[in-house]
């Protein structure tokens, strides 16, 4: 059979599969599991490909989950395998940027090198193509064709066929989402209908009761209750502020003691001429030149101590173990050396220091020095963080409802909130601050704290607590401006005119009251300022403008109580 006939036959098979997929009932209902099993088996059987699989991303786009892979040799499907972005970050980036990844030799192709040990070799894969599944700009997953045990060079029509099937899968997922939305809308309409009927009954009953009551008396009672609640809240917040301030003060005392002790310990162990370290160093290395080299080596290792990944750590350990064996030193000592930042390049920097007698003693002293240094360094960092946290708590709970505005340090106000949210920035959130010096403004510091709290937490939620958060400040005439920007999915255009409405929320039931941005708007209005936003996919910016001086004349403005405190 000539080449033209083979290609024509293959094209007919491909078109037949595409026709069956596009007309398959599951494509309309959105049953992606059944459709994936049909596609993988059909492609594998007709095109004689050993492994054909469908992989879909999770909502966070940091995992690929296999929902169906057909293995032709044993005529069965497998499912459930997971590839994590943190383990294959470089390979995931190619899926984000490209329409497909065609690896005729996946063992040399840079786009698939991360899969060699954990995926290609165990499955015997010799050629593979990943057709990227997208729905608009959203990355959905991949459709994989994988040959096993034979060399194969992917043709243009195979790549096109794979991409066309990926489009069909994306269309099925789109239909699934539409069906789910329709079902949800129907359910919500039924709920709304029931709520309306119930509300009408309640209104009718309440109206009858109100007609038998004295309106003036009820208004008086309501006013008294409101005043009582406000008094109770003020008393609780004042008590809480006093309690936390007292606790923070008590915590600061042992923190200061720990810091002073750590500094003294550092000096007595290493810096003093009478320290144990200096004594051991002189006994071990009488030669002052080698003593100087040892100290230089210590400083280099202190500056480059870092946490290495499993693969880098294993490679470094093997190098160090081989060198230790050559020096007749136990290779188990390599673990201690790795933790100090030691590698064989140090031997080239200090050849005389690491040759000759007492090599094992030199290495042990080096490890002891770095280990103690690390411990002291961690202690001092912990003390610094604890001091910042107690200071932020003292500021945050100083909740005194002001009748008149006072002079407020806006930057310090924002930093208080950022300190309390620092746990959210440890893992997947990159915080960038672009601050310029701002003048004090006339305002209510306790309300501004809640303004920044709502805006920052909204931004974190919009990014699903992973992404970039940028906070900027600037001045323009008699106003200061604060911008809070996140790189989340953005606010859909069709709801942008409603986000400041009370009780309007896009969050799931139980996760939001719909009052956060309404409260922000009211706080800004009380400061005679402005609040606005701009939002597109990947960038949402809330801009707060506050006047430096309130348009209402308040004579004898007081400074905030903490303005002179440390």
């Amino acid at each position: 059979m000539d080449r033209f006939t083979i290609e024509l036959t293959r094209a007919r098979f491909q078109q037949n599969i595409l026709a069956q997929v596009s007309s398959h009932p599951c494509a309309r209902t959105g049953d992606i599991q059944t459709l994936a099993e049909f596609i993988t088996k059909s492609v594998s059987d007709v095109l004689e490909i050993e492994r054909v699989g469908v992989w879909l991303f999770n909502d966070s786009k940091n995992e690929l989950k296999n929902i169906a892979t057909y293995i032709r040799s044993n005529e069965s499907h497998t499912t459930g395998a997971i590839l994590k972005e943190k383990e294959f970050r470089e390979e995931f980036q190619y899926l984000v940027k490209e329409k497909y990844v065609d690896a005729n030799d996946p063992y040399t192709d840079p786009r698939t090198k991360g899969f060699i040990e954990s995926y290609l070799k165990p499955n015997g894969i010799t050629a593979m193509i990943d057709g990227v599944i997208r729905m608009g700009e959203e990355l959905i997953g991949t459709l994989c064709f994988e040959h096993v045990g034979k060399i194969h060079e992917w043709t243009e029509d195979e790549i096109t066929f794979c991409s066309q099937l990926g489009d069909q899968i994306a269309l099925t997922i789109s239909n699934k989402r539409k069906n789910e939305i329709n079902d949800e809308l129907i359910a919500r309409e039924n709920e709304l209908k029931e709520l309306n009927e119930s509300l009408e009954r309640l209104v009718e009953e309440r109206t009858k009761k109100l007609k038998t009551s004295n309106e003036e008396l009820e208004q008086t009672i309501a006013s008294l209750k409101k005043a009582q609640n406000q008094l109770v809240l003020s008393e609780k917040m004042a008590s809480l502020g006093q309690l936390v301030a007292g606790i923070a003060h008590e915590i600061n005392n042992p923190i200061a003691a720990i810091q002073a002790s750590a500094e003294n310990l550092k000096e007595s162990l290493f810096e003093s001429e009478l320290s144990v370290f200096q004594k051991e160093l002189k006994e071990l290395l009488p030669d002052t030149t080698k003593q100087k080299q040892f100290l230089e080596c210590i400083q280099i290792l202190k500056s480059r101590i870092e946490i290495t990944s499993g693969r880098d750590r294993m490679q470094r350990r093997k190098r160090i173990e081989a060198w230790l064996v050559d020096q007749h030193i136990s290779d188990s000592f390599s673990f201690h050396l790795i933790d100090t930042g030691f590698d064989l390049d140090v031997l080239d920097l200090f050849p005389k220091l690491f040759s000759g007698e007492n090599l094992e003693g030199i290495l042990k002293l080096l490890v002891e020095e770095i280990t103690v240094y690390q411990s002291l360094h961690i202690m001092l960092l912990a003390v610094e963080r604890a001091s910042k946290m107690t200071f932020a708590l003292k500021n945050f709970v100083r909740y005194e409802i002001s009748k008149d505005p006072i002079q407020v340090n806006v930057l310090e106000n924002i930093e208080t909130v950022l300190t309390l949210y620092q746990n959210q920035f440890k893992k997947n959130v990159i915080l960038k601050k672009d601050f310029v010096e701002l003048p004090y403004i006339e305002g209510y510091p306790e309300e501004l704290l809640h303004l920044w709290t709502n805006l920052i937490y909204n931004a974190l939620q919009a990014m699903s607590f992973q992404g970039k958060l940028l906070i900027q400040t600037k001045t323009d005439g008699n106003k200061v401006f604060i911008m809070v920007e996140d790189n989340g999915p953005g606010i859909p255009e069709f709801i942008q005119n409603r986000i400041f409405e009370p009780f309007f929320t896009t969050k799931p039931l139980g996760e939001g009251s719909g009052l956060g941005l309404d409260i922000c708007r009211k706080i800004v209005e009380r400061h005679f300022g402005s609040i606005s936003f701009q939002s597109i996919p990947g960038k949402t910016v809330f801009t707060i403008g506050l006047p430096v001086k309130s348009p209402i004349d308040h004579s004898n403005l007081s400074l905030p109580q903490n303005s002179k405190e440390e």
Side-chain angles (χ1 to χ4, degrees):
M1 188 180 293
D2 58 48
R3 179 181 176 184
F4 177 79
T5 304
I6 293 173
E7 291 179 352
L8 182 59
T9 302
R10 186 170 62 202
R12 287 174 179 170
F13 285 153
Q14 292 172 355
Q15 291 303 314
N16 184 45
I17 292 174
L18 283 171
Q20 293 182 55
V21 170
S22 62
S23 61
H24 200 286
C26 292
R28 294 189 298 275
T29 63
D31 184 358
I32 186 62
Q33 183 67 46
T34 302
L35 188 71
E37 292 176 358
F38 173 79
I39 290 174
T40 54
K41 186 179 187 305
S42 299
V43 173
S44 179
D45 289 341
V46 173
L47 299 187
E48 298 182 351
I49 299 175
E50 172 62 15
R51 295 170 57 90
V52 180
V54 176
W55 299 71
L56 297 183
F57 279 102
N58 63 354
D59 293 338
S60 300
K61 309 302 182 189
N62 58 8
E63 287 185 358
L64 266 174
K65 182 177 180 181
N66 177 241
I67 65 168
T69 291
Y70 184 77
I71 302 175
R72 187 166 179 261
S73 58
N74 58 21
E75 299 181 349
S76 65
H77 279 95
T78 63
T79 185
I82 294 177
L83 300 178
K84 295 182 180 294
E85 189 266 350
K86 64 181 181 182
E87 299 172 357
F88 306 99
R89 181 168 286 109
E90 186 173 341
E91 288 72 23
F92 272 43
Q93 291 304 312
Y94 285 110
L95 299 179
V96 173
K97 296 182 291 186
E98 299 184 10
K99 177 65 177 175
Y100 59 84
V101 176
D102 55 330
N104 296 323
D105 184 358
Y107 295 90
T108 59
D109 195 310
R111 298 172 297 178
T112 56
K113 64 181 181 180
F115 297 109
I116 293 175
E117 298 298 331
S118 61
Y119 186 76
L120 298 179
K121 286 184 178 181
N123 294 305
I125 297 169
T126 53
M128 67 184 295
I129 179 172
D130 285 349
V132 179
I133 304 171
R134 281 191 174 88
M135 189 163 60
E137 295 297 323
E138 182 182 1
L139 187 61
I140 301 296
T142 65
L143 173 62
C144 301
F145 294 176
E146 300 165 348
H147 279 291
V148 173
K150 66 176 182 179
I151 298 174
H152 184 79
E153 188 167 331
W154 299 104
T155 61
E156 184 176 349
D157 69 287
E158 289 175 320
I159 294 172
T160 302
F161 177 56
C162 184
S163 297
Q164 290 173 334
L165 285 174
D167 292 339
Q168 289 296 324
I169 294 172
L171 181 59
T172 301
I173 293 174
S174 176
N175 289 337
K176 178 184 178 182
R177 292 181 179 178
K178 290 178 181 177
N179 293 336
E180 290 174 348
I181 292 172
N182 287 334
D183 293 341
E184 185 69 18
L185 285 174
I186 292 172
R188 290 292 175 263
E189 287 176 357
N190 291 334
E191 289 180 6
L192 183 59
K193 183 179 179 181
E194 293 177 1
L195 287 172
N196 283 335
E197 293 174 353
S198 176
L199 181 60
E200 288 174 0
R201 291 193 299 269
L202 289 173
V203 169
E204 185 177 357
E205 293 173 2
R206 185 61 57 86
T207 302
K208 291 178 180 179
K209 292 180 180 179
L210 288 174
K211 288 180 179 179
T212 61
S213 302
N214 186 301
E215 293 182 358
E216 184 177 353
L217 179 59
E218 287 192 354
Q219 290 177 358
T220 302
I221 293 174
S223 299
L224 289 173
K225 287 183 176 180
K226 184 176 179 181
Q228 183 184 26
N229 290 337
Q230 289 178 341
L231 288 172
V232 171
L233 176 60
S234 298
E235 184 65 25
K236 286 182 178 179
M237 293 305 296
S239 299
L240 178 62
Q242 294 175 357
L243 176 63
V244 174
I247 294 174
H249 178 73
E250 292 301 322
I251 291 175
N252 277 333
N253 290 333
I255 286 176
I258 293 172
Q259 184 176 19
S261 298
E263 294 288 356
N264 292 337
L265 186 60
K266 181 179 178 183
E267 180 179 356
S268 64
L269 285 177
F270 307 116
E271 297 171 1
S272 170
E273 289 294 328
L274 301 177
S275 68
V276 175
F277 166 71
Q278 293 289 345
K279 180 180 179 182
E280 291 182 357
L281 178 61
K282 291 176 181 178
E283 291 177 355
L284 185 65
L285 297 172
D287 186 346
T288 57
T289 301
K290 287 190 175 183
Q291 291 178 17
K292 183 178 179 182
Q293 290 181 351
F294 185 91
L295 295 174
E296 291 175 357
C297 178
I298 286 291
Q299 292 304 316
I300 290 175
L301 295 183
K302 285 180 179 179
S303 67
R304 69 190 222 183
I305 294 175
E306 58 186 6
I307 299 175
T308 57
S309 66
R311 184 180 301 175
D312 292 341
R313 184 180 179 86
M314 183 178 297
Q315 292 175 351
R316 184 186 294 184
R317 180 170 61 83
K318 289 180 178 179
R319 292 195 299 268
I320 296 174
E321 284 179 349
W323 176 71
L324 290 172
V325 171
D326 290 341
Q327 305 301 319
H328 305 293
I329 300 174
S330 172
D331 59 5
S332 63
F333 199 63
S334 63
F335 292 98
H336 301 295
L337 290 175
I338 288 174
D339 292 335
T340 67
F342 185 89
D343 206 347
L344 297 189
D345 63 324
V346 177
L347 304 179
D348 298 328
L349 296 174
F350 304 99
K352 293 183 180 180
L353 179 63
F354 295 101
S355 61
E357 299 178 355
N358 295 330
L359 176 58
E360 185 171 359
I362 291 172
L363 293 176
K364 288 182 178 180
L365 185 58
L366 183 147
V367 169
E368 291 174 359
E369 157 74 354
I370 295 296
T371 300
V372 176
Y373 170 80
Q374 285 178 308
S375 299
L376 289 172
H377 184 64
I378 291 171
M379 288 172 60
L380 292 172
L381 283 178
V383 166
E384 182 181 356
R385 288 186 59 194
S387 296
K388 288 182 177 179
M389 182 62 72
T390 55
F391 179 74
L393 281 172
K394 286 170 67 178
N395 283 344
F396 194 80
V397 299
R398 187 175 282 112
Y399 194 96
E400 299 175 359
I401 304 298
S402 307
K403 293 182 180 179
D404 297 321
I406 62 175
Q407 293 289 336
V408 180
N409 184 334
V410 175
L411 293 182
E412 183 180 290
N413 204 256
I414 296 172
E415 287 287 3
T416 296
V417 177
L418 291 176
T419 300
L420 294 175
Y421 274 107
Q422 63 181 340
N423 282 337
Q424 304 292 346
F425 307 130
K426 286 183 178 178
K427 298 178 180 178
N428 300 317
V429 176
I430 299 174
L431 172 64
K432 182 178 179 181
K433 297 182 289 187
D434 185 8
F435 290 172
V436 299
E437 288 296 326
L438 300 178
Y440 277 54
I441 70 168
E442 296 180 6
Y444 307 90
E446 66 281 347
E447 293 186 8
L448 291 175
L449 283 172
H450 289 283
L451 172 63
W452 316 131
T453 299
N454 283 342
L455 290 177
I456 291 171
Y457 193 72
N458 275 358
L460 293 173
Q461 281 189 315
M463 298 187 296
S464 298
F465 296 91
Q466 56 181 6
K468 295 180 181 179
L469 179 66
L470 171 63
I471 303 178
Q472 296 175 287
T473 63
K474 69 176 184 179
T475 60
D476 186 5
N478 64 345
K479 281 191 173 184
V480 299
F481 292 89
I482 299 88
M483 287 72 72
V484 179
E485 176 182 333
D486 68 75
N487 67 340
I491 303 171
E493 186 174 353
F494 67 92
I495 66 167
Q496 288 187 5
N497 62 339
R498 298 191 62 195
I499 67 169
F500 291 109
E501 290 183 13
F503 305 108
F504 177 77
T505 179
T506 59
K507 298 171 186 175
L509 187 64
E511 291 188 13
S513 64
L515 293 174
L517 289 176
D518 176 57
I519 292 173
C520 290
R521 177 180 58 81
K522 290 178 179 177
I523 292 174
V524 172
E525 288 177 351
R526 191 179 184 206
H527 287 77
F528 302 96
S530 62
I531 179 170
S532 61
F533 70 93
Q534 293 179 332
S535 182
I536 58 175
K539 182 179 180 180
T540 298
V541 184
F542 277 84
T543 301
I544 309 298
L546 300 173
V548 174
K549 184 174 177 58
S550 171
I552 298 178
D553 184 22
H554 296 277
S555 58
N556 300 322
L557 284 178
S558 60
L559 287 172
Q561 294 183 10
N562 64 328
S563 62
K564 296 183 179 180
E565 294 183 7
E566 296 183 356

